[in-house]
Amino acid sequence: MLLNVVFSYNRAMQLDCFLESFLRHIKYPDYKVAVVYHTIGNHDKGYKLLIEKYKNNSHIVFYERSDVNNYFFKILPLLFYPRNLYRYIKYKYLRKNVDNFKFLVEEIIKNSGCEILMFSTDDTVYDGDIFINDSVVDRIRKSPNKYSLRLFLGENLIKKYNAKVSIKDNKIIWNYYENQGNGPWGGVFNVDGTVYNKQFVLETVKKLLYHMPATLESFTNTYIKRKKMLKLGFAPIDSCLSNIWINRVQVLGHHESLNIDVDYLNEKFLEGYKIKYKYDKPVTEWGTVPYDILFEKSK
């Protein structure tokens, strides 16, 4: 069974677009979707609307992040690892405005009953049927620290990044460590549309101190690279997941976007609208600014 852990913050309308696209394109027979979200201001109303919309879908469960008591004492054992302690001292954001994100995510993964795992973010959308090949899953099962499957890569993204890949049996395969510097072909761990062995990820992230999706991705990626794990990646011939840059909700990292206000989108969502993106397909790089956005009344 596949577990898809979806991260969302103040973007209920974009999350709805992602969920609709995932449900439309998922062909894998057994899966669960765990939405981990948090809000400020009036955005909680958008998520309540979304929870009501999907209440009869047994595949989807929503989990709201919350404050946590005795946070320092909960993470204290992790600070005996030098890199965790170094980051905790260096980065103020690991000491301020923290919640139960780490503990909640790990509890969801642990209790999922699933064997394979992927993460997702609410600013992505599936624009093709989701490729989860049984032979690839079998490799991930048998060699969990060696293989993964990346759904947002394909032949359409090779040229842009000068990726060194092979194509065999209708699949793309490459060595991450031979593609360092080649964008998404070189980052071994990603919180967008990459399938891993669940137990391998759980055992890895439990050792690390992180507080949000960006640090989960960054610190896990650094750890796995240092250990030279997840050497080989698989991808479909055509990517089936695109990252749509219309706004930003986190301060770590930077990318181009249309800077569409999330409060405005929330108002439109509460008025009964859904969002659709217009962009050129197939995409040729990871991260797309759409040339048009449409609002449609939900049926």
Side-chain angles (χ1 to χ4, degrees):
M1 185 177 290
L2 167 70
L3 172 65
N4 187 0
V5 180
V6 185
F7 302 128
S8 185
Y9 171 47
N10 282 357
R11 297 198 287 206
M13 177 180 265
Q14 288 164 261
L15 174 61
D16 184 39
C17 185
F18 167 82
L19 290 173
E20 284 195 351
S21 74
F22 178 82
L23 294 175
R24 183 165 57 250
H25 289 290
I26 184 69
K27 306 303 177 185
Y28 200 71
D30 297 314
Y31 66 91
K32 295 180 180 179
V33 178
V35 177
V36 177
Y37 74 97
H38 68 135
T39 68
I40 59 173
N42 207 36
H43 286 273
D44 64 316
K45 294 180 180 179
Y47 285 86
K48 288 178 181 177
L49 187 63
L50 204 56
I51 291 169
E52 178 67 19
K53 174 179 177 177
Y54 290 102
K55 68 179 182 180
N56 293 324
N57 189 315
S58 60
H59 293 284
I60 303 175
V61 180
F62 288 80
Y63 300 86
E64 185 173 10
R65 290 163 58 173
S66 63
D67 293 334
V68 58
N69 295 324
N70 301 316
Y71 178 80
F72 177 77
F73 293 102
K74 288 180 181 293
I75 66 165
L76 183 59
L78 296 173
L79 300 183
F80 287 94
Y81 292 90
R83 285 182 180 267
N84 287 336
L85 179 60
Y86 169 78
R87 288 174 177 144
Y88 185 76
I89 294 171
K90 181 177 180 180
Y91 301 118
K92 289 183 180 180
Y93 54 71
L94 289 176
R95 306 191 301 273
K96 298 175 64 176
N97 301 320
V98 293
D99 60 17
N100 70 336
F101 176 76
K102 172 181 170 66
F103 314 111
L104 177 59
V105 168
E106 292 173 11
E107 192 69 15
I108 291 170
I109 296 172
K110 177 183 176 182
N111 295 329
S112 67
C114 296
E115 188 175 16
I116 55 175
L117 162 73
M118 64 188 296
F119 298 103
S120 299
T121 53
D122 55 14
D123 59 348
T124 57
V125 62
Y126 281 97
D127 45 27
D129 287 345
I130 298 170
F131 170 94
I132 302 181
N133 183 279
D134 287 341
S135 66
V136 174
V137 171
D138 191 54
R139 293 198 186 197
I140 293 173
R141 178 186 298 114
K142 293 178 179 178
S143 301
N145 64 349
K146 185 177 180 180
Y147 295 106
S148 62
L149 169 64
R150 183 150 292 176
L151 300 176
F152 63 80
L153 294 178
E155 276 191 300
N156 45 306
L157 282 91
I158 292 175
K159 184 177 180 181
K160 167 72 177 181
Y161 300 101
N162 194 30
K164 305 177 183 68
V165 307
S166 299
I167 299 176
K168 185 178 180 181
D169 298 329
N170 208 35
K171 299 184 290 291
I172 298 174
I173 185 169
W174 73 100
N175 185 319
Y176 279 102
Y177 297 96
E178 293 176 355
N179 278 278
Q180 296 302 297
N182 292 343
W185 300 93
V188 296
F189 185 82
N190 196 287
V191 294
D192 287 298
T194 305
V195 179
Y196 305 98
N197 178 282
K198 179 208 78 172
Q199 196 60 34
F200 168 78
V201 171
L202 181 60
E203 291 173 0
T204 300
V205 301
K206 283 172 63 176
K207 304 171 186 176
L208 305 177
L209 179 63
Y210 56 90
H211 78 307
M212 62 184 295
T215 50
L216 167 62
E217 179 178 88
S218 176
F219 298 163
T220 305
N221 188 59
T222 299
Y223 177 87
I224 290 174
K225 278 187 174 180
R226 193 169 74 249
K227 298 289 186 179
K228 296 293 183 183
M229 297 185 291
L230 294 181
K231 178 180 179 181
L232 298 178
F234 288 95
I237 298 299
D238 300 307
S239 68
C240 57
L241 179 69
S242 296
N243 192 323
I244 310 298
W245 288 346
I246 68 170
N247 50 36
R248 298 175 65 240
V249 293
Q250 56 99 358
V251 297
L252 302 182
H254 178 74
H255 60 69
E256 181 184 0
S257 80
L258 295 177
N259 295 316
I260 298 178
D261 184 61
V262 293
D263 293 338
Y264 170 74
L265 293 179
N266 189 54
E267 291 173 6
K268 300 301 291 183
F269 189 60
L270 293 176
E271 290 172 6
Y273 288 92
K274 61 172 61 177
I275 195 169
K276 284 194 172 183
Y277 314 114
K278 296 294 184 179
Y279 56 98
D280 293 327
K281 293 177 278 189
V283 298
T284 56
E285 59 185 308
W286 175 236
T288 299
V289 176
Y291 60 78
D292 198 8
I293 288 176
L294 305 176
F295 294 114
E296 295 182 354
K297 268 289 188 178
S298 299
K299 296 179 181 179

